[in-house]
Structures are given as structure tokens and as C-alpha cells.
Amino acid sequence: MSEKHNESNLNPEGHDQNWYSSWFDTPYYHILYKDRNYREAQIFMDNLTHYLNLPEKAKVLDLACGKGRHSIYLNQLGYNVLGADLSENSIEEASKNSNETLHFKVHDMREPFEEKFDAIFNLFTSFGYFENDDDNLTTLKAIKESLSEYGFAVIDFMNVANVIENLVPEEIKTVENIDFHIKRYVEDGHIFKEIDFEDQGRKYHFTEKVKALTLKDFQDLMDEAGIYLLDIFGDYKLKKFHKIESERLIMIFK
């Protein structure tokens, strides 16, 4: 959720109405999160594709694909994959891995695709970023419209109750000699993460803001979108969802 950029694209000491369009496009986003557990993510996709029993060469959409690491892995599993993301920098980087059955495009997840997919994956809390809450419903409708008749969609979201219970209010993470000062808090139905750091004599400030959507919130949105929620899991091994204990909220729907 990048890596040629001009420094003018960055947002030092500032805010962007759509924060994700600036933060995800900076190299600092990828520096801060470079140690994410991709092996765990691959196990998740192994389990998910097995559970969905996707046909060989199924058409899979990786929605909000970032630099495409998971799209690449899904393609290695034998699927025909399209990775889509709003970040032009990320898609430019991801496209270096394109082949006959792996493609990438810049796309706003609020817009449906003309083509239909056997599976649509929205992974690792890549939902709930919009300033306007109505856009969450718009996105769900777009996902539904982009599914084939027998297709399935998956949203892998944080379990808000677990996140709030275990919220670390302040910490410093040092990555590549940059000290990222991180503050976390809950406000107005959103989980905020304030990120401050200095690099090459410049100070930067970014804010991550994600709607604190619960299972009930998703169920209400899905009802309104005419979506059928088929199954719910609580972790990447597809174990049962527990309201507080589970780290993830993984929803399978069509």
C-alpha cells in the first residue's frame, strides 16, 4: 500500500485530505513497514485459496495491492492475477513483475471493474480509509459488481475490539536509522496513528486514520449492498472468530 518520487510529492509538516494518497506514495511508508511478516501472509493465501477451492487459472483481483508482493505470490500459485492500487508509485514498482498472467493497474477501489473476477481479495486492513463513510458502502458495491457469478470476495480487516484492547499509545520504531515516533489513539469512531520523524534535516508528519469498523458495522453495510456474508475467521490460519481474542476479522462473501 512505492518508488520513484519527487520530494515535492511528500507532505512534510502537513496533512492531506486523503492521507493515504500521500503517505502510501512515500518511500517512508515502505521503510516503516518493511518487516511485515510476509511468510505469514503467504500461509494465509495458501489457506484462503484452498478454502475457496479456486479453479486452476482463476481470475483473481488483489485490491489495494501496494507494490504487489501478494499479487506475485498468488500468481505463483497458478492464478491469473490483477493487482490494483490507487498509488501510482506502487503500481509503477509492481509492474516490473508483470507477465502474461500478472498485471497491475492504478485504480480507485470505489469504482467497479468492467471485467469479472473469480475471487477478489482486499487484504491486510486496506479498507475504511475514506474521509466520507458513504465510500465504504460504495466500495463494497463495487466489489460485488466486479465478481463473476460464482465468485467470492474476501476482506481481511483488523479486529477493532482486539486492537483497542491492546493499543500501544506511544512508541519509537527505528528502521534504517530513522526514528519513527508513533502515537495511537481512538477518536470519532476511527483509530489514528500519528507518525513523526526526521530525515536528511527535514521533519515529516503523517496521520493514518482507519474507520473502526466492527463485524456488526460490516454486516449492516453488506446488508445494504445486497451482499451475502458466507463465513468469518479470526486469524490467518482460518480459525474461528472471537469477538475480543481474535487478531483479525476475515470475511468471505459474495
Side-chain angles (χ1 to χ4, degrees), residues 1-48:
M1 278 181 196
S2 107
E3 244 295 356
K4 294 176 183 173
H5 74 282
N6 297 317
E7 197 145 89
S8 59
N9 290 339
L10 303 183
N11 190 12
E13 302 272 29
H15 296 270
D16 189 303
Q17 187 191 1
N18 292 334
W19 60 265
Y20 46 86
S21 63
S22 58
W23 174 222
F24 291 167
D25 248 354
T26 79
Y28 298 111
Y29 171 83
H30 299 285
I31 290 170
L32 177 58
Y33 294 122
K34 74 175 196 172
D35 291 332
R36 283 183 167 168
N37 189 335
Y38 287 106
R39 183 66 201 125
E40 183 183 50
Q42 290 176 349
I43 290 167
F44 175 38
M45 282 177 278
D46 289 342
N47 292 332
L48 203 51

Side-chain angles (χ1 to χ4, degrees), residues 60-72:
V60 176
L61 171 63
D62 182 11
L63 194 58
C65 68
K67 290 202 288 186
R69 193 182 290 242
H70 307 113
S71 301
I72 293 164

Side-chain angles (χ1 to χ4, degrees), residues 7 10 12 44 79 107 116 118 147 164 172 243:
E7 197 145 89
L10 303 183
F44 175 38
Y79 302 115
H107 184 86
K116 306 295 183 192
D118 300 306
L147 281 173
I164 292 173
I172 299 173
K243 194 171 180 181

Side-chain angles (χ1 to χ4, degrees), residues 59 105 107 111-117 142 145-147:
K59 286 181 69 175
K105 72 180 291 186
H107 184 86
E111 299 290 332
F113 285 80
E114 285 184 22
E115 56 191 304
K116 306 295 183 192
F117 297 91
E145 283 180 47
S146 304
L147 281 173

